[in-house]
Structure formats: structure tokens, C-alpha cells
Amino acid sequence: MCGIVGYVGPRDCSDVLVSALTKLEYRGYDYAGIAVFENGKIEVAKSKGRLSDLVAKMEKEGKPKGHAGIGHTRWATHGEPSDVNSHPHSGRRVTIVHNGIIENYKDIKKFLIENDRTEFLSDTDTEVVAQLLDFYYDGNPIRCIRKVLHEIRGSFALGIVFADRPETVYAVRCESPLIVGQGPGEAFIASDVPAIIKYTKDYYLLEYGEIAVLKNGSVSFCDFHGRMVEKELKTADFDEDSAEKGGFEHFMIKEIHEQPTAVKTTITPRIEDGLPNLSECGITKETLKSFNNIFIVACGTAMHAGMVGKYVIEKLARVSVTVDIASEFRYRDPLLNTDDLVIIISQSGETADSKAVLNLVKEKGAKTLAIVNVKGSSIAREADMVIYTHAGPEIAVASTKAYMVQLSVMYLLAFEMAFAKGKITEEKCRRLTSELQKTPEVIEKAIGLSYNCQYISTKLITADSLLYIGRGLDYALSMEGSLKLKEISYIHSESYAAGELKHGTISLITEGMPVIAVATQTSLLEKTISNIKEVKARGAMTIVICDDEAEFDDEVADHIIRIPKISEMLMPMVATVPMQLLAYYTSVNKGNDVDKPRNLAKSVTVE
Ligand code: AGP
């Protein structure tokens, strides 16, 4: 839930840290800070609020000047966002930044107080670690770090500087992701590659239980036992442009526009001779045939992609699919057998609850398949099989292109599984695959509907509350439409199965309340239209998203968004676009911070 950076090299360290933090602000934006060696002394600058508040503060009061240091942007977990709770935190000779949670910090604090260490300024778990490092520091940083690592519990990554080790940065990974960038004569640490892509594409992935030492522009590694570790240098497969807004006003709208390419890049390498082929992901036809039950477990948007997956896999492959929220699944003692498949979907590959589910499922002996966007992330590395989505870096907190590529993978998987199980013919599998290959073009056309969505969004900005309704795949899709809208527009929104409304929820309808009906499933159109009529008759302002051939009495809709038609089963990939655009423009019209909605962070690495 936060971003760590560090730098050692010839450049102005404060500038590098701020620039890298800008790319990590999506991970948390309650406060920010840096610590830099200036003339051999650690100088700290920190502030609550956005990174821009820290920059403004440094412009006024002066920035630390030096060539080595660490920095941090954070989503508050312990204590309210305030200057004093901002990272970096210091002991007498040690300053640290921290991503994650220290579970036993209260016990450690008690231990330190019992040993006359009472100078705590903040409410954070991080300061306790800084004090513990200082308590054990005997002039040997690695020995001290190792000792502390054996005492603290939790999931975390740390950036550390010792006052008597100028121009040197130490980094530790225990669960929370951390990479070490290497450029000529300079080295970096960061929670994510886009933070340093401006400076270098070469990086090492720090593994669980490893410590990195950045000194004189070079890097060395050891494990928690102090043994030296040799690591493979990796090269990022994207460049600075992909991590920039590229002329768009917000990352979210840029990412909406990137969807056709993202889908193409994700599906093309997995289609061979007109048929899906997931063998490069370690998934054979034999494996696909062997599963009796499938569980899809994820959080938020990724879980919504799983809902679409359920409909499609069950319909085509005739396998029972249960979709679960990761934070529920992990505590409900699920019934799992060794011939079950558990699919974990995650953009970041680091979501704490999804990661916990993966560990639980592995203990129970079921097979795991990860569908993940971030290469080398924990979930991707720990699952039995992995399908990488190729959306490129997704920066906006509200997920768009990651969801779209997750859908495309759900389809590929459903098609191949159905064919492998003999539930569809080769001809049908080819036809479906070929339809899927056409989706990038259709998505492109749907993005062209921006103007209409922009106009309709002006009708939503005064609403306190609204409903998204749909049936079948449209219901699965409306869950995502509703989440997207509420997370960035701050308008209360719920998604409902259209047929369920009359069992209670319809009592919420008042004059002018917006109801957005997703009606792309031709086979269910008549039924959905009846439900739209029911809410319209009670005063709702109805907005209907349907295909451009749908025939119904236009009077039921106050506003219509007609999208290009493709096969009914694939319509979610098209219909999701207007829902994203409605959310985006409503948020823009309300003057909200579209890319960094309040109280949220991109990567949820705490429970
Ligand atoms: C999406 O708009 C959300 N911000 C959020 O629901 C997100 O999808 C969820 O936190 C899961 O993240 P993951 O895909 O990285 O696991």
C-alpha cells in the first residue's frame, strides 16, 4: 500500500527520489518523504498529503542535497496522515522507509520501552523497526539488519540508511515487492519497475528473504543468513512512454484507449492455427480436461472478471465454477479437492488476500492458476501455472485495461477447456476464437462513443445514488460498471440482477434516480426491458447500454448508448467501455482526482 524508492549515484538524489515517487504515487498518497545524505549527514524532508505537498515544502524550505538516499509515498495504515507519521522514520543512527505491516510491533515497542528506548514520536509500526535497528546497531549494518529480521513478523519491504555509512542504501524484501535497478555507475531501489524506467530498464528482482546493498553505484546481495547471492539481471519489456500519460489528461483515459492493443498483445501469442493454445503458460489439454470444479478467487475488479469467467466457462465447458472474494474465501474453510482448480486473478500479483488464498489452496493440494499482469509478482511466481496478461503498466487506481485483458483470458481459457473436454466442436472453437480476435477492433469503435458518454455523465453528477442492473453476463458486467463509477465519482452505486429488483430494492427508486441498464444479451433483452419499464414507471431516469441492432420501445430509455454488436457471449468486452467512460467523465465533471481517488491505493498489500 505504499511505494519505496532509493538511489545511489551521481545525480541529484532528491530529484531522482521525487521523480521515482511520482510513478509510485498510485500505491498510496496520504503522505510522502525522503531522506538524503547531505555532507555525510542524513537530512529528512517529509509531509502529509500528496507528493506535490512535499515538493512545495522543499521549494520553500530547501531540499536535501546529496547523492544517496531513500524515499516513500504511503497509504496510511497506522495513525492518521500527519507530518509526524510520514516516512522516513528514524532511530538515533538509522533511518528507514517501509512498505507493508509489522504484525508484532506492539510487542517490540514494549521490549524497547523496557530497555529504556522511549523516544517514539509517531503512531507507526515503522518507527518501532527504526528504533529496533538502532538498538541492535553495533557498527555492522548487515548483522544488525539480520538480527532485526529475525525478530519482526509481517509482510514488508524496507529501505534503510545508517548515519555512519554515508552514500550507502540497504534494502530488504520480506513479501512486499522490491526491485533493484542498475544503471551505469548508479543503482536504485523501487517497489515497482515504472518508478525507475526513466533511468534504467535493467533491474534485479529481490526475492523473499534477500538484502541488497547499494554502494558506489553497484549492488551486492545476501540472504537473511548473510550468505552472498548471485542474481540474474532482468530487462523491462516496456519503456518510459508506457509509464507516462502520453498526451492524455489522466492515466485512466489513456489506459482505456490502450485496451485494443492490450487485448491483441494478450491473446495473439496464445492462438495457434485459429485455436487457443495456452501451452506456453504450462496449461495442456490434458490438464484442462482433468478438473472437476473450478474456483475463481480475487478482489475487486479482478473478481468481477472472474464473474464473467464463471458464466462463460460454465456455459461452454460445463464445469461448475464458484467465484469468491479472496478475503472471504480464505476464512471460510473452503471445500477443496486435489482435482479442483483454483484460479487467482490479480493485476498486481501482490494483493494480500489473494496471495493468502494461494498459500491456503496450495496447502490443501488443489492446483493453482494465476492470471496476473505484473511480471515476476509473488502470485505469479508461486502459482502452479501462470497466464500473464500483457496490459503493460496500469497506473490509474481504477482498473480498466487490466480488467479487459483478464476478460480476454477468461474467454481463451473457456474456449480451450470446452474444446479439450469435448463440449464444443473444433469448428465452434475456431469460430469463437476468431470472434475474440475481432474484439480489439470493436473495442476501438466503442471508445469512439466517448462524446455520448461524456454528455450522459453530465446527467449523473447530481445523483446521490444510482443502480446498475442487468441479467446474465450483463449482470456480471454491471458489477464492474458500478464499482468503477463509485470508486472515482463517489456516487453511491449498487449493481443488481435486474430480475431481483422487485424483491426489495425497487423501493429505493425515486423520481429522477439514475438506473443504468446493461442490455446486451439478445436472448434476455425482452426480460431486461420489462425490468427497465418497472423502474421507469416509478420515476427512474433510465440509461440503456445495448447493441446497435437491439430492437425495443425506445421510450423506456431516457438515454441510450448503442455499442457495436458482436457475438452475445463476447459483448462484455465491448459493453465495459461505455461503463468506464461514464465513470471517467462523471469523475472529471465532478472535479475529482480521477487517477488517485480518495482513500484508495492501487496495490492492496495489507489485509
Ligand atoms: C479496481 O478499480 C480497484 N481499484 C480494485 O478493486 C482492484 O481491482 C483490487 O484491489 C484487486 O487488485 P489486484 O487485481 O491487483 O489484485
Side-chain angles (χ1 to χ4, degrees), residues 41 54 88 108 207 253 255 277 345 349 372 394 414 435 449 456 605:
K41 228 177 122 232
L54 172 68
I108 295 169
E207 303 281 349
I253 190 72
E255 288 160 5
N277 183 343
I345 308 179
V372 169
E394 189 179 65
E435 282 272 323
L449 298 168
I456 294 172
T605 54

Side-chain angles (χ1 to χ4, degrees), residues 299-302 346-348 351 397-399 483-484 487 604:
C299 305
T301 290
S346 175
Q347 188 285 130
S348 63
T351 301
V397 167
S399 182
L483 174 67
K484 207 85 311 167
E487 76 175 321
V604 186

Side-chain angles (χ1 to χ4, degrees), residues 261-485:
T261 310
V263 170
K264 211 180 283 174
T265 320
T266 300
I267 62 172
T268 307
R270 281 80 185 249
I271 297 173
E272 224 177 71
D273 187 24
L275 289 170
N277 183 343
L278 294 165
S279 55
E280 60 128 2
C281 315
I283 303 166
T284 61
K285 295 215 162 25
E286 287 313 306
T287 333
L288 288 174
K289 262 202 262 185
S290 65
F291 303 118
N292 286 330
N293 292 298
I294 296 178
F295 294 84
I296 302 181
V297 191
C299 305
T301 290
M303 191 273 288
H304 295 154
M307 285 300 294
V308 172
K310 171 187 167 71
Y311 279 81
V312 182
I313 296 171
E314 285 190 343
K315 179 148 187 100
L316 292 175
R318 309 309 291 159
V319 188
S320 148
V321 182
T322 307
V323 182
D324 236 306
I325 297 168
S327 56
E328 288 296 313
F329 187 86
R330 64 183 287 193
Y331 293 116
R332 74 169 169 81
D333 196 8
L335 291 169
L336 282 173
N337 294 311
T338 45
D339 53 3
D340 291 341
L341 171 69
V342 179
I343 303 176
I344 316 273
I345 308 179
S346 175
Q347 188 285 130
S348 63
E350 301 292 348
T351 301
D353 285 316
S354 306
K355 228 158 93 175
V357 167
L358 182 68
N359 296 337
L360 174 90
V361 169
K362 287 180 82 171
E363 269 167 34
K364 289 188 177 260
K367 274 262 174 288
T368 54
L369 163 65
I371 298 174
V372 169
N373 196 42
V374 176
K375 315 271 173 316
S377 54
S378 310
I379 293 174
R381 284 180 304 138
E382 285 161 31
D384 299 316
M385 300 165 279
V386 55
I387 305 179
Y388 277 117
T389 51
H390 299 309
E394 189 179 65
I395 311 290
V397 167
S399 182
T400 52
K401 61 176 179 172
Y403 173 72
M404 184 68 93
V405 289
Q406 285 160 358
L407 292 187
S408 71
V409 168
M410 288 283 100
Y411 285 108
L412 275 182
L413 193 65
F415 299 167
E416 191 168 14
M417 190 178 286
F419 184 37
K421 283 186 173 276
K423 303 291 179 191
I424 57 171
T425 60
E426 181 177 329
E427 194 223 323
K428 180 158 184 187
C429 192
R430 278 185 195 286
R431 189 157 35 80
L432 289 167
T433 310
S434 143
E435 282 272 323
L436 182 64
Q437 285 174 300
K438 287 181 203 146
T439 53
E441 211 178 298
V442 191
I443 294 166
E444 190 83 66
K445 285 189 190 148
I447 295 171
L449 298 168
S450 285
Y451 185 75
N452 194 12
C453 295
Q454 197 169 0
Y455 168 71
I456 294 172
S457 73
T458 61
K459 311 285 171 201
L460 300 179
I461 49 177
T462 52
D464 295 324
S465 183
L466 62 80
L467 289 180
Y468 251 105
I469 60 169
R471 282 173 177 262
L473 277 168
D474 286 334
Y475 170 50
L477 194 61
S478 71
M479 291 181 184
E480 175 56 9
S482 173
L483 174 67
K484 207 85 311 167
L485 193 91

Side-chain angles (χ1 to χ4, degrees), residues 112-126:
L112 287 166
I113 291 171
E114 281 164 5
N115 283 277
D116 299 327
R117 290 279 174 149
T118 51
E119 60 255 43
F120 294 98
L121 303 173
S122 74
D123 306 318
T124 65
D125 50 348
T126 308

Side-chain angles (χ1 to χ4, degrees), residues 64-277:
K65 290 192 182 64
H67 299 284
I70 50 180
H72 196 260
T73 176
R74 185 162 173 89
W75 187 78
T77 52
H78 292 72
E80 55 163 18
S82 66
D83 285 1
V84 111
N85 284 334
S86 308
H87 294 212
H89 288 286
S90 304
R92 294 171 198 161
R93 297 158 297 171
V94 187
T95 296
I96 71 170
V97 288
H98 158 221
N99 175 11
I101 294 280
I102 307 298
E103 285 164 7
N104 58 339
Y105 81 102
K106 284 192 180 147
D107 295 340
I108 295 169
K109 192 166 182 175
K110 189 164 163 263
F111 162 80
L112 287 166
I113 291 171
E114 281 164 5
N115 283 277
D116 299 327
R117 290 279 174 149
T118 51
E119 60 255 43
F120 294 98
L121 303 173
S122 74
D123 306 318
T124 65
D125 50 348
T126 308
E127 189 184 14
V128 174
V129 178
Q131 292 286 4
L132 190 66
L133 280 161
D134 194 76
F135 182 75
Y136 285 130
Y137 189 49
D138 60 359
N140 182 327
I142 294 290
R143 191 162 56 215
C144 164
I145 292 171
R146 285 176 46 217
K147 178 135 185 69
V148 166
L149 290 176
H150 284 114
E151 295 200 6
I152 57 179
R153 270 200 330 268
S155 127
F156 56 85
L158 302 169
I160 310 169
V161 286
F162 290 86
D164 64 353
R165 288 287 186 281
E167 315 309 308
T168 310
V169 167
Y170 297 84
V172 176
R173 175 179 183 184
C174 177
E175 297 285 353
S176 302
L178 203 60
I179 59 110
V180 178
Q182 177 75 81
E186 58 186 350
F188 308 78
I189 59 168
S191 300
D192 207 349
V193 184
I196 56 156
I197 200 84
K198 177 173 170 188
Y199 304 104
T200 180
K201 288 177 95 172
D202 296 331
Y203 70 97
Y204 299 96
L205 191 66
L206 216 57
E207 303 281 349
Y208 175 91
E210 288 180 343
I211 303 169
V213 184
L214 285 64
K215 192 179 175 184
N216 296 332
S218 65
V219 194
S220 58
F221 303 96
C222 67
D223 63 19
F224 283 9
H225 302 288
R227 293 178 296 234
M228 297 307 286
V229 175
E230 288 296 323
K231 294 189 69 68
E232 180 202 345
L233 191 64
K234 298 175 183 291
T235 303
D237 57 2
F238 58 89
D239 54 21
E240 198 190 339
D241 281 354
S242 356
E244 295 291 342
K245 284 188 208 150
F248 287 93
E249 202 181 335
H250 300 102
F251 279 110
M252 183 178 174
I253 190 72
K254 177 188 174 234
E255 288 160 5
I256 289 173
H257 279 260
E258 284 170 345
Q259 294 183 113
T261 310
V263 170
K264 211 180 283 174
T265 320
T266 300
I267 62 172
T268 307
R270 281 80 185 249
I271 297 173
E272 224 177 71
D273 187 24
L275 289 170
N277 183 343

